[in-house]
Amino acid sequence: MAGRRSPVTDIREILRRLQLGEPNRRVARDLGISRNTVARYRVWAARHGVLDGGPLPAPATLAELLTPARWTWRIASPRRWSQRR
């Protein structure tokens, strides 16, 4: 669903399944989300060491890590304005 925000419990389920080694397509299909969303969480989890085999972070810790200011892959691209009028 476009623009839907995932609660921390949904994100924990994504991360749990990624830790088990499930492919992005299967996780996306089973949870009803985009493969791109799963891929982004995989990159995020790898950067934060979540996929190293240890236990998942507590929900409160995960919510803290998921604040928008901490997402480094969300870099705004510069806008290109047309020269035509």
Side-chain angles (χ1 to χ4, degrees), residues 1 7-8 12 14 17-18 27 33 36 42 46 53 58 61 67 70 81:
M1 191 183 320
V8 173
R12 281 181 57 92
I14 294 169
R17 294 179 77 159
L18 292 176
V27 174
I33 57 177
N36 291 337
R42 184 181 294 276
T61 305
T67 57
R70 294 182 178 258
W81 298 96

Side-chain angles (χ1 to χ4, degrees), residues 24-38:
N24 292 358
R25 281 182 186 256
R26 182 182 307 151
V27 174
R29 182 187 64 229
D30 291 349
L31 299 178
I33 57 177
S34 167
R35 284 183 292 147
N36 291 337
T37 300
V38 176

Side-chain angles (χ1 to χ4, degrees), residues 3 11-12 15-16 19 21 24 28 36 39 50 53-54 56 62 64 67 73 77-80 84:
I11 296 169
R12 281 181 57 92
L15 297 176
R16 184 187 71 78
Q19 274 188 336
N24 292 358
N36 291 337
V50 175
L56 286 176
L62 189 58
E64 170 78 20
T67 57
W73 56 268
S77 60
R79 293 187 178 204
R80 295 184 183 208
R84 295 187 209 171

Side-chain angles (χ1 to χ4, degrees), residues 41-52 57 62 64-67 70-73:
Y41 280 114
R42 184 181 294 276
V43 169
W44 177 87
R47 286 183 183 167
H48 288 83
V50 175
L51 300 180
D52 293 342
L62 189 58
E64 170 78 20
L65 290 172
L66 290 169
T67 57
R70 294 182 178 258
W71 285 77
T72 56
W73 56 268

